[in-house]
């Protein structure tokens, strides 16, 4: 008997923010694949595995795979392909396989690449939804993220200052993911739009969690990978 390969969304970082359904999947798993990265000192870090461990899941089920962080994704696709073949073998042997992702596994989540590959190969998959980081960020700051007739746009850290300005002028609520990639554009827009509110978040749901809407502090900060921004063009 085979079991669908289960993609479980872990939520933003705080272990309790996983869903009950996701937790059950972890508890029943024979193997849980967690993405990890290496820091400059060569130490392996896995925020995903930390969340799983905090949920008191059997340590022997946890299996980290190393994702290169470079912008060129070629190496990452190779890692995903290796994971795909290994998981497909285990699937055929009847194991219960879970692959985890932080936040929601279908929201700026490259792991969906393997999900699509399983689907194409006729391997059964399922995905459990999770709380994306920007929703957890809104709760942390007590924001009414969008209200009444407002519209929201979620963008990766790709805009120039002009492109971001245009969206602020259009009155959108803007969520910027991967904020570390557009530091200068954000600084410039803070200067150009004194009426707008800029909510800055980093490491939401972890013990390094940080929030400020103080423009002066924001423009003196460097933005780490796990940071995002919500802009409200009041
Ligand atoms: N699947 C995730 C998004 C992954 S893309 C989700 O649903 O939220 C990676 C980006 O998400 C990071 O660059 C950062 O902008 C944001 N992010 C993820 N976790 C975060 C956290 N705990 N705190 C702040 N930003 C976070």
């Amino acid at each position: 008997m085979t079991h669908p390969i289960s993609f479980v969304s872990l939520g933003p970082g705080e272990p309790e923010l996983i869903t009950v359904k996701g937790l059950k999947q972890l508890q029943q798993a024979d193997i849980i694949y967690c993405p990890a990265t290496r820091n400059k000192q060569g130490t392996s870090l896995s925020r995903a595995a930390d969340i799983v461990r905090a949920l008191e899941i059997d340590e022997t089920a946890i299996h980290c795979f190393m994702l290169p962080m470079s912008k060129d994704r070629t190496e990452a696709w190779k890692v995903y392909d290796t994971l795909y073949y290994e998981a497909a073998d285990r699937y055929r042997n009847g194991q219960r396989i879970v692959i985890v992702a932080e936040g929601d596994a279908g929201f700026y989540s490259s792991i969906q690449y393997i999900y699509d590959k399983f689907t194409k190969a006729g391997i059964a998959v399922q995905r459990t939804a999770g709380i994306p980081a920007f929703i957890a960020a809104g709760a942390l700051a007590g924001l009414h993220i969008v209200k009444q007739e407002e519209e929201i746009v979620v963008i990766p850290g790709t805009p120039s200052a002009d492109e971001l300005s245009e969206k602020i002028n259009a009155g959108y609520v803007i969520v910027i993911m991967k904020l570390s990639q557009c530091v200068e554009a954000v600084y410039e827009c803070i200067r150009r739009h004194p009426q707008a509110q800029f909510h800055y978040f980093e490491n939401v749901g972890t013990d390094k969690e940080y929030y400020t809407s103080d423009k002066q502090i924001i423009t003196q900060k460097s933005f780490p990978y796990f940071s995002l921004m919500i802009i409200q063009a009041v």
Side-chain angles (χ1 to χ4, degrees):
M1 187 185 160
T2 57
H3 305 281
I5 296 183
S6 177
F7 286 72
V8 172
S9 305
L10 294 176
E14 193 176 338
E16 289 191 347
L17 289 183
I18 190 173
T19 60
V20 175
K21 186 173 177 184
L23 180 59
K24 283 188 184 154
Q25 299 287 323
L26 295 180
Q27 286 166 338
Q28 291 166 359
D30 294 308
I31 184 152
I32 302 168
Y33 289 104
C34 299
T37 51
R38 243 180 242 298
N39 67 8
K40 287 188 192 100
Q41 291 73 40
T43 316
S44 156
L45 304 171
S46 173
R47 196 186 267 245
D50 290 345
I51 298 171
V52 174
R53 284 193 190 100
L55 293 167
E56 296 177 6
I57 301 298
D58 177 13
E59 176 71 35
T60 58
I62 299 174
H63 185 102
C64 287
F65 61 96
M66 207 54 69
L67 269 185
M69 285 303 283
S70 104
K71 260 199 141 183
D72 172 11
R73 299 307 280 165
T74 326
E75 289 304 313
W77 302 136
K78 281 189 203 157
V79 172
Y80 283 145
D81 285 340
T82 309
L83 173 56
Y84 166 82
Y85 287 113
E86 189 185 316
D89 267 355
R90 289 179 184 270
Y91 165 83
R92 289 185 197 103
N93 291 331
Q95 293 197 15
R96 291 178 196 268
I97 300 157
V98 168
I99 301 177
V100 300
E102 293 153 67
D104 180 81
F107 192 76
Y108 289 114
S109 193
S110 54
I111 203 77
Q112 181 71 15
Y113 166 76
I114 317 185
Y115 181 102
D116 293 339
K117 218 169 144 113
F118 286 132
T119 310
K120 278 199 197 99
I123 293 175
V125 280
Q126 64 181 35
R127 202 173 87 206
T128 307
I131 298 176
F134 82 94
I135 293 292
L140 168 65
L143 299 181
H144 193 169
I145 303 176
V146 269
K147 55 183 177 295
Q148 297 173 350
E149 310 295 311
E150 284 176 355
E151 294 180 28
I152 188 166
V153 289
V154 183
I155 56 175
T158 48
S160 64
D162 286 347
E163 287 162 348
L164 190 54
S165 251
E166 236 172 73
K167 290 195 169 59
I168 296 172
N169 286 333
Y172 292 120
V173 173
I174 305 158
V175 175
I176 311 178
M177 309 289 291
K178 305 178 190 177
L179 189 68
S180 55
Q181 295 174 12
C182 62
V183 184
E184 291 308 321
V186 168
Y187 289 175
E188 176 61 27
C189 282
I190 287 178
R191 284 190 286 272
R192 283 193 206 173
H193 300 272
Q195 82 294 355
Q197 283 179 0
F198 296 78
H199 300 278
Y200 170 84
F201 301 88
E202 65 188 44
N203 295 307
V204 175
T206 72
D207 49 8
K208 289 191 235 141
E209 173 174 275
Y210 179 78
Y211 161 65
T212 185
S213 58
D214 183 319
K215 291 174 184 166
Q216 215 173 353
I217 297 178
I218 296 172
T219 46
Q220 282 159 9
K221 273 193 76 39
S222 61
F223 303 156
Y225 177 74
F226 283 105
S227 66
L228 64 86
M229 179 161 275
I230 301 177
I231 304 175
Q232 294 177 316
V234 200

